[in-house]
């Protein structure tokens, strides 16, 4: 008799030791909350949110090993032992000899942009990220998108939509000259493209190209372990390498990197920059004293640095990252059952709803993604985030609205926080909103802040 093979599921490599109650609310209650928040999910009180998928940034559950480390905080103003532990681990896992802590990722972006960019420079990158571009442009630079075209097409299933198009980069170098390009900024995976990774082959090619022209290559390594995971499971030759080995190899091509530790490192606050460039390091070490704090704490408590040092050890564990991305995938597959329009392939940190396809009757000026995020909140108290025309902001030179091809709602998964049952509830809510989509009208922006408007803009229902 043939042996019957039963399908074997995966499960999280941890169990729950402490719980945090969440509040279920009624539709009339949420209607009031949404109105008070100007239909911007960033302006809701977290207490009024049921399942919070706004971001995976600083919203992670720390392990008992990290919490134990919090008790070992050395809160000395200078030379905290936790700083040295963290520095050792940065060397070990990212392979960068020099390291400067900052209170979060954008603080590192600020410092790097100030050091590297001169007014009139161009900074090519694989799609913009909101805070990254803002700091590059505040330093007088101009961001230029050199990601492959496939990244701007939500339905395209290219396995490495985060790749840089070498031709776009060469064309820019020819047009403006290598001297006007202080560095190429490469993120992996690419947040705004839907959490899409770059391949090692592409990285090597871009490295060669930048070397040829004497241009530096810098890495937004905020979610680098997710990129490493995708390389392991999608790229030939990497299937037997560990996440730590792939991460180290990725980093070996960069002159330096910055990290928002609030993601991969599974802490609630923190960031840093690390580099092999002694000159940049010396400048950064000096500048951090002005903006963040002494170079051995960078705006962080000793205990925060200890939690980061320990998070670094956990972030490269294969089972951990597999369960994280497995949860995102599970959510995507459940949504597919209701034919919800999604971004493909599913990303590392989030599922992205294609708001242009979800609400085809709304023009982009009526903020389809902003509208959809607020409708999902109204239906169930689930909070997601707009990643479309509001996030894209205005062109820094013309002041006109940018019209990005991708008009998305991001449902982002905090690490080790929610269960499959939470996902089922969230999926059913989105399916209901999709059922009722024809009744949905758009929004009108009634308040627009000058910088990073998506965080604080206010809207009215049409
Ligand atoms: N780079 C990337 C790719 C990010 O996703 C973020 C933050 C930053 C830099 C800035 O780091 O928040 O620590 O200052 N992303 C969050 C998000 C806010 O929700 O995607 P930060």
């Amino acid at each position: 008799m043939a042996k019957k093979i039963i399908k074997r599921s995966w499960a999280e490599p941890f169990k729950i030791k402490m719980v945090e109650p969440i509040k279920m609310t009624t539709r009339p209650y949420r209607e009031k909350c949404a109105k008070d928040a100007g239909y911007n999910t960033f302006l809701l009180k977290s207490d009024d949110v049921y399942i919070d998928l706004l971001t995976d940034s600083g919203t992670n559950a720390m392990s008992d090993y990290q919490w134990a480390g919090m008790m070992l905080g050395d809160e000395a103003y200078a030379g905290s032992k936790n700083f040295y532990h963290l520095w050792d681990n940065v060397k070990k896992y990212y392979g960068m000899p020099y390291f400067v802590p900052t209170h979060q990722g954008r603080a590192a972006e600020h410092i790097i942009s100030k050091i590297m960019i001169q007014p009139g420079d161009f900074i090519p990158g694989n799609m913009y990220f909101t805070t990254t571009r803002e700091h590059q442009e505040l330093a007088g630079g101009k961001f230029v998108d050199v990601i492959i075209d496939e990244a701007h097409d939500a339905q395209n299933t290219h396995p490495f939509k985060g790749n840089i198009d070498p031709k776009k980069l060469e064309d820019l170098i020819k047009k403006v000259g290598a001297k006007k390009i202080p560095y190429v900024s490469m993120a992996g995976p690419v947040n705004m493209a839907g959490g899409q990774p770059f391949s090692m082959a592409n990285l090597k090619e871009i490295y060669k190209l930048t070397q040829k022209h004497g241009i530096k290559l810098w890495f937004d390594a905020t979610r680098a372990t997710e990129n490493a995971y995708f390389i392991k499971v999608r790229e030939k030759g990497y299937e037997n390498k560990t996440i730590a080995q792939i991460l180290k190899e990725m980093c070996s091509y960069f002159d330096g990197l910055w990290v928002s530790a609030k993601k991969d490192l599974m802490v609630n606050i923190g960031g840093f920059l690390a580099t092999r460039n002694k000159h940049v390091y010396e400048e950064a070490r000096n500048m951090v004293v002005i903006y963040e704090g002494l170079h051995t704490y960078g705006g962080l408590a000793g205990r925060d640095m200890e939690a980061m040092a320990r998070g670094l050890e956990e972030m490269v564990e294969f089972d951990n990252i597999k369960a994280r991305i497995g949860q995102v995938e599970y959510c995507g597959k459940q949504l597919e059952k209701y034919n919800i329009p999604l971004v493909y392939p599913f990303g590392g940190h989030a599922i992205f709803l294609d708001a242009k396809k979800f609400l085809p009757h709304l023009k982009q000026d009526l903020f389809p993604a902003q509208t959809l995020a607020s409708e999902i909140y109204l239906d169930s108290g689930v909070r997601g985030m707009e990643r479309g025309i509001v996030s894209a902001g205005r062109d820094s030179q013309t002041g006109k609205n940018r019209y990005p091809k991708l008009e998305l709602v991001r449902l982002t998964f905090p690490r080790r926080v929610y269960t499959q049952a939470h996902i089922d509830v969230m999926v059913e809510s989105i399916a209901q909103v999709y059922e009722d989509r024809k009744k949905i009208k758009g929004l009108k922006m009634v308040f627009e802040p000058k910088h990073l408007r998506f965080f604080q803009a206010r809207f009215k229902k049409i």
Side-chain angles (χ1 to χ4, degrees):
M1 207 171 71
K3 192 171 170 260
K4 193 171 163 202
I5 309 272
I6 307 280
K7 176 187 169 253
R8 308 298 282 261
S9 295
W10 60 268
E12 289 80 359
F14 51 81
K15 57 186 176 177
I16 297 165
K17 176 139 59 182
M18 192 191 280
V19 296
E20 178 183 349
I22 47 181
K23 189 164 90 183
M24 293 177 80
T25 53
T26 61
R27 174 133 192 154
Y29 181 85
R30 291 190 293 274
E31 270 166 9
K32 184 173 179 313
C33 296
K35 196 169 172 213
D36 290 348
Y39 300 96
N40 183 346
T41 52
F42 279 102
L43 300 178
L44 288 165
K45 289 185 184 151
S46 120
D47 205 34
D48 296 327
V49 172
Y50 175 40
I51 299 172
D52 200 352
L53 304 179
L54 184 72
T55 178
D56 62 334
S57 182
T59 52
N60 312 294
M62 292 205 294
S63 65
D64 51 0
Y65 177 59
Q66 286 176 295
W67 276 109
M70 295 285 278
M71 296 306 287
L72 302 176
D74 170 4
E75 306 307 343
Y77 188 90
S80 160
K81 70 178 178 211
N82 313 113
F83 164 80
Y84 289 104
H85 183 198
L86 177 55
W87 191 357
D88 283 346
N89 276 355
V90 167
K91 282 185 214 159
K92 184 169 167 193
Y93 293 106
Y94 296 91
M96 294 281 170
Y98 306 119
F99 154 75
V100 176
T102 59
H103 81 279
Q104 63 182 85
R106 71 197 70 179
E109 291 173 341
H110 172 211
I111 289 170
I112 290 156
S113 303
K114 270 217 151 123
I115 294 171
M116 312 268 290
I117 300 171
Q118 299 296 323
D121 280 351
F122 295 86
I123 307 92
N126 50 349
M127 199 174 272
Y128 82 102
F129 182 70
T130 53
T131 57
T132 316
R133 182 179 64 192
E134 185 84 17
H135 282 295
Q136 290 165 350
E137 299 201 335
L138 283 171
K142 171 119 185 91
F143 169 82
V144 183
D145 189 4
V146 291
I147 202 166
I148 57 171
D149 286 338
E150 286 88 337
H152 293 280
D153 172 3
Q155 305 307 311
N156 192 298
T157 58
H158 190 297
F160 292 106
K161 279 164 101 175
N163 282 354
I164 286 183
D165 183 336
K167 175 144 190 325
K168 285 188 193 171
L169 182 55
E170 281 233 78
D171 287 351
L172 180 75
I173 298 170
K174 268 191 209 132
K175 197 170 139 204
V176 305
K179 286 210 169 66
K180 284 264 169 222
I181 303 178
Y183 63 100
V184 173
S185 157
M186 199 159 174
V190 179
N191 194 344
M192 304 300 280
Q196 307 295 337
F198 59 72
S199 68
M200 196 72 88
N202 182 252
L203 172 56
K204 283 187 195 164
E205 190 178 357
I206 298 307
Y207 172 71
K208 264 202 205 132
L209 185 60
T210 50
Q211 285 290 102
K212 190 174 104 187
H213 293 278
I215 299 171
K216 302 260 184 288
L217 190 56
W218 274 70
F219 186 18
D220 182 343
T222 293
R223 296 183 184 83
T225 57
E226 291 167 16
N227 204 97
Y229 175 86
F230 285 125
I231 287 176
K232 182 175 167 73
V233 299
R234 291 182 189 166
E235 193 165 352
K236 244 187 134 168
Y238 288 91
E239 48 283 77
N240 296 320
K241 296 227 154 107
T242 65
I243 297 295
Q245 285 169 331
I246 299 172
L247 175 65
K248 197 81 164 276
E249 183 182 339
M250 278 158 55
C251 293
S252 72
Y253 297 107
F254 292 95
D255 198 47
L257 52 87
W258 67 91
V259 170
S260 165
K262 300 169 77 177
K263 283 80 164 177
D264 264 2
L265 280 70
M266 293 174 285
V267 290
N268 304 119
I269 194 71
F272 61 89
L273 65 89
T275 177
R276 58 184 86 259
N277 185 322
K278 186 132 197 256
H279 165 73
V280 173
Y281 166 64
E282 288 296 352
E283 294 245 324
R285 202 167 81 111
N286 193 202
M287 204 174 272
V288 78
V289 185
I290 311 170
Y291 295 108
E292 296 284 291
L294 194 70
H295 61 277
T296 60
Y297 75 86
L300 294 164
R303 55 179 174 271
D304 297 327
M305 291 189 284
E306 189 58 31
M308 282 166 69
R310 291 174 180 225
L312 261 171
E313 293 161 21
E314 291 177 358
M315 77 177 191
V316 293
E317 286 168 13
F318 178 72
D319 288 343
N320 217 351
I321 188 84
K322 182 174 165 226
R324 159 156 187 70
I325 294 180
Q327 189 175 50
V328 175
E329 227 170 59
Y330 173 81
C331 175
K333 289 199 172 130
Q334 295 306 109
L335 286 165
E336 268 178 346
K337 292 185 181 161
Y338 297 97
N339 303 316
I340 310 290
L342 305 171
V343 174
Y344 289 95
F346 302 144
H349 63 312
I351 283 293
F352 289 73
L353 307 178
D354 185 344
K356 276 189 185 169
K357 282 215 158 67
F358 200 114
L359 301 172
H361 56 289
L362 296 190
K363 308 186 289 184
Q364 209 166 3
D365 288 308
L366 296 175
F367 309 110
Q370 188 78 30
T371 306
L372 180 54
S374 95
E375 289 295 330
I376 294 167
Y377 173 74
L378 288 170
D379 183 78
S380 58
V382 169
R383 168 156 77 169
M385 167 195 300
E386 192 263 11
R387 294 274 85 153
I389 183 168
V390 185
S391 294
R394 292 177 184 272
D395 185 284
S396 61
Q397 269 140 37
T398 66
K400 294 217 168 95
N401 269 328
R402 295 179 169 111
Y403 288 86
K405 286 207 180 103
L406 298 177
E407 178 71 26
L408 312 173
V409 169
R410 190 182 76 173
L411 304 161
T412 331
F413 293 81
R415 294 161 191 78
R416 310 190 285 207
V417 170
Y418 291 114
T419 66
Q420 225 155 277
H422 288 114
I423 295 177
D424 291 339
V425 167
M426 180 267 272
V427 165
E428 288 159 17
S429 164
I430 293 169
Q432 188 63 57
V433 176
Y434 192 55
E435 262 314 291
D436 303 335
R437 64 191 178 277
K438 295 213 172 92
K439 285 187 266 175
I440 298 173
K441 301 191 177 80
L443 293 168
K444 187 176 150 201
M445 200 189 293
V446 292
F447 170 69
E448 181 176 353
K450 206 161 122 205
H451 299 290
L452 301 175
R453 65 181 181 183
F454 58 95
F455 283 128
Q456 291 151 340
R458 300 185 68 85
F459 299 84
K460 272 211 169 105
K461 273 198 171 194
I462 289 189

